[in-house]
Amino acid sequence: MLALALLPLFTSACWAAPLAGLTTTTSLRNTPVFPAVNLGLPNLCDLPIINQLCAKVLAASDQVTTPIGVAQGVSDGNGANRFAVKYASATRWAASTVATKWALPNGATNASALPLACPQSLVDPSTYTEDCLSMILYVPTSLKANSGAPTLLWIHGGSFVAGSATGPGLDGSKLAIATNSIVAVMQYRLGALGFMAPNGGTNLAVKDTVNALTFLAKVVPSFGGSASKITLAGQSSGAGMIRALLATPSASSLFQSAILQSDPINYGFLNVSTQGLLQSSFNQLVGCAASDTACQAKLSVDSIINAQVTLGNEASTIDASTGLAEPIRPVRDGKLITTPLDLTAPFPAVNKPILLSNVKNEAGPTIYGMFPQSIGNSLFAPVCEASLGTDRTTLVQNSPFYNLTGVSDTRVPLETLGTDEVWRCPTWSLARSWSGHGGKAFVGVYVTGATYPANNDIAFCLESGSVCHQDDIEIVFGTVPNPSAAQGGLTIEMQARYKAFLATGSPNAAGYSTWTPATTSDVHAHQLGGSSSAPSGEIPAGACDPSFWGAQVQYDYQVFGI
């Protein structure tokens, strides 16, 4: 994996390590994507003196009777109601259990309260809690009980160590109204608390998402949804979580289709042996034996997060297959997650429709975040070798896809290389495999986006024509502040296509160009936004031709056999 593409480019708490042998004047970025949870109104409404005033925003129509109790919500005033709820509970490092009664998050007494985030580094501790298995439902006021509407469950990104349901741009009201569906935005245990149980139990966070799906199936009919029409959607590691659920047979009956935006598929799942090495190291860092539950219970959240950060910094030296960006991630344990869903093993039979998308400049935040100033061609090879190794670097240099001839700024081909290797090409490989084994896959590339707040300090991401990692989020949700005509038009289009996909499993919607599903030889990558120079409106394969990435030049999951 390209070294620079493994640094903090797609989530808030990716761990960075200096590139050996390189001297630059730049510093590595480690800026939170989700710097804080919006707690202003919820905290104020919990004050007795203001509680009665806040309660006045509630109306009878904002109360819904569910099989597990009365849900209270608040109206956004524009045609949607918001319901925050605790969907499951769990003690530290134990499997979560689905909620059996409707309860507001974090013991709140006012329905306007928003959930606290799950514990994570680089944020104020007052914004998170271990009691964080909550979600927010956004429901169009037009829906009535048992209307049979679809539900979209959004899983946030954050390299499995950061993020929340209240992250920037994740207000689902407009998306719910535009698609006439219920939009649920969930949280799951992050980092060590979600993936590093000292007793060796794996994938607790993945099991949290399974419980979120189970909870939704139970309650959405009361809000006008159908338990059999649930679609998963997520971005970056949220999309990686969905890929884990697609590889989990026991979860298959809980959702009908999936939307994966900017999944860094190149990394693959961890294998059991690598997880074991990381687990042993983590247990040593916290000073608790696998069986010492009393010791584990006494650990402060701060000490757990500190150990998690240290583990992340050291993971690639413990086992190179962890990489530098997502060393804590789902594990193919053979019990819950049973297949790699990649090119390293026979692909299973599939039948769910999936929608796979990337943005034009996935690696932009990494390359231009690390190197704010132009760099010369002499750095291309050492940067590549730091992660790709000598053999793969030679193949890349000898290919026609990343030609340095006439290039004055090596960041340009490095960004293209990072985008292709970590995101775009492995996504297209998945699409070919999926379509060849019984399922429909639709592939798209955003060439228009809206700068996500985390990218505001990266000059490249502010340039006209750049679409950096995360710049698709606010387009999909319809939360772009002061959208341009192009952004507004793409939001309307994508929400129309998502509405069609939720209902039919195809993103083809009236009034828009045909989006052709992938085949084993041509993924038909649909251009999203911009003005297409190709008659078909499709993005050319380039280096993502199956004879190059995944064959001549292997992905990381192939190199490490995970």
Side-chain angles (χ1 to χ4, degrees):
M1 56 198 98
L2 183 66
L4 300 181
L6 291 173
L7 297 171
L9 69 119
F10 52 88
T11 51
S12 62
C14 289
W15 304 283
L19 295 174
L22 300 184
T23 301
T24 73
T25 58
T26 64
S27 60
L28 303 181
R29 296 177 60 253
N30 200 12
T31 305
V33 169
F34 303 96
V37 178
N38 179 6
L39 300 176
L41 181 58
N43 279 356
L44 289 174
C45 286
D46 283 339
L47 296 175
I49 193 171
I50 301 180
N51 183 274
Q52 290 185 350
L53 177 62
C54 289
K56 291 181 181 178
V57 303
L58 295 172
S61 60
D62 303 329
Q63 297 184 0
V64 175
T65 301
T66 78
I68 58 173
V70 176
Q72 289 189 324
V74 292
S75 171
D76 72 349
N78 294 309
N81 294 327
R82 186 188 78 213
F83 300 84
V85 62
K86 182 176 177 178
Y87 70 83
S89 60
T91 57
R92 181 178 291 177
W93 287 314
S96 57
T97 56
V98 180
T100 56
K101 64 177 181 179
W102 189 276
L104 296 173
N106 313 125
T109 57
N110 192 285
S112 61
L114 295 173
L116 293 170
C118 292
Q120 54 196 276
S121 62
L122 302 177
V123 299
D124 188 327
S126 67
T127 66
Y128 62 65
T129 176
E130 284 192 69
D131 179 24
C132 63
L133 299 183
S134 299
M135 66 171 63
I136 305 172
L137 303 179
Y138 298 90
V139 184
T141 56
S142 59
L143 288 185
K144 307 301 179 185
N146 299 305
S147 296
T151 295
L152 182 149
L153 175 60
W154 179 267
I155 304 178
H156 69 75
S159 280
F160 299 111
V161 296
S164 73
T166 55
L170 298 186
D171 184 326
S173 297
K174 292 181 179 179
L175 180 59
I177 294 169
T179 57
N180 195 39
S181 68
I182 298 167
V183 173
V185 183
M186 67 164 289
Q187 301 181 161
Y188 47 96
R189 282 176 287 180
L190 300 169
L193 289 166
F195 294 94
M196 286 290 158
N199 66 1
T202 59
N203 295 318
L204 292 175
V206 181
K207 295 171 184 176
D208 291 342
T209 63
V210 172
N211 282 338
L213 285 164
T214 302
F215 177 85
L216 281 174
K218 184 184 300 184
V219 303
V220 291
S222 301
F223 294 89
S226 167
S228 63
K229 297 180 182 178
I230 298 175
T231 294
L232 291 171
Q235 188 269 348
S236 197
S237 60
M241 181 70 84
I242 295 170
R243 179 163 37 90
L245 292 170
L246 289 169
T248 299
S250 60
S252 183
S253 64
L254 298 175
F255 62 102
Q256 67 172 1
S257 54
I259 301 171
L260 290 75
Q261 300 176 205
S262 299
D263 183 2
I265 298 174
N266 172 70
Y267 305 140
F269 303 128
L270 289 181
N271 61 29
V272 172
S273 61
T274 299
Q275 175 70 14
L277 292 173
L278 296 180
Q279 189 65 67
S280 177
S281 179
F282 178 76
N283 289 5
Q284 292 177 23
L285 287 168
V286 296
C288 293
S291 60
D292 193 345
T293 55
C295 174
Q296 297 160 20
K298 291 178 181 178
L299 291 170
S300 68
V301 172
D302 202 41
S303 66
I304 293 171
I305 291 177
N306 288 339
Q308 169 190 306
V309 172
T310 299
L311 178 67
N313 289 334
E314 298 176 351
S316 62
T317 62
I318 297 171
D319 188 324
S321 71
T322 60
L324 295 175
E326 287 185 352
I328 297 177
R329 60 183 188 265
V331 182
R332 180 163 59 94
D333 57 3
K335 299 175 182 177
L336 187 74
I337 301 174
T338 61
T339 174
L341 281 186
D342 59 29
L343 301 177
T344 63
F347 206 87
V350 294
N351 55 27
K352 296 182 189 299
I354 61 173
L355 194 158
L356 306 167
S357 65
N358 295 107
V359 299
K360 176 185 172 187
N361 306 110
E362 297 278 16
T366 297
I367 302 303
Y368 291 86
M370 281 194 64
F371 298 107
Q373 306 299 322
S374 175
I375 59 175
N377 290 354
S378 62
L379 280 180
F380 186 87
V383 168
C384 291
E385 288 178 1
S387 289
L388 293 175
T390 302
D391 292 343
R392 286 194 290 173
T393 295
T394 298
L395 291 169
V396 164
Q397 285 185 297
N398 292 336
S399 77
F401 303 115
Y402 312 104
N403 198 320
L404 298 178
T405 303
V407 175
S408 60
D409 185 354
T410 303
R411 295 178 300 176
V412 176
L414 283 176
E415 191 281 319
T416 301
L417 174 59
T419 294
D420 286 351
E421 190 252 342
V422 177
W423 290 276
R424 188 171 74 102
C425 297
T427 294
W428 290 23
S429 292
L430 173 60
R432 294 186 193 99
S433 295
W434 195 270
S435 64
H437 290 82
K440 277 193 175 182
F442 296 88
V443 178
V445 177
Y446 286 84
V447 299
T448 295
T451 303
Y452 200 67
N455 294 329
N456 280 333
D457 61 342
I458 301 171
F460 171 79
C461 296
L462 301 177
E463 293 177 3
S464 176
S466 294
V467 187
C468 289
H469 191 78
Q470 299 179 301
D471 287 354
D472 52 339
I473 293 175
E474 293 181 338
I475 292 290
V476 168
F477 275 80
T479 51
V480 181
N482 304 311
S484 66
Q487 292 168 333
L490 183 56
T491 288
I492 293 172
E493 175 182 349
M494 293 313 300
Q495 291 183 341
R497 291 191 181 277
Y498 273 33
K499 180 178 182 179
F501 186 78
L502 296 180
T504 69
S506 167
N508 285 299
Y512 296 102
S513 59
T514 300
W515 191 334
T516 305
T519 67
T520 55
S521 59
D522 189 344
V523 302
H524 297 289
H526 199 79
Q527 179 172 305
L528 305 174
S531 56
S532 176
S533 58
S536 62
E538 295 178 359
I539 302 292
C544 295
D545 186 285
S547 66
F548 191 67
W549 277 109
Q552 186 178 358
V553 181
Q554 293 188 325
Y555 301 121
D556 279 10
Y557 63 70
Q558 293 171 296
V559 170
F560 295 112
I562 55 174

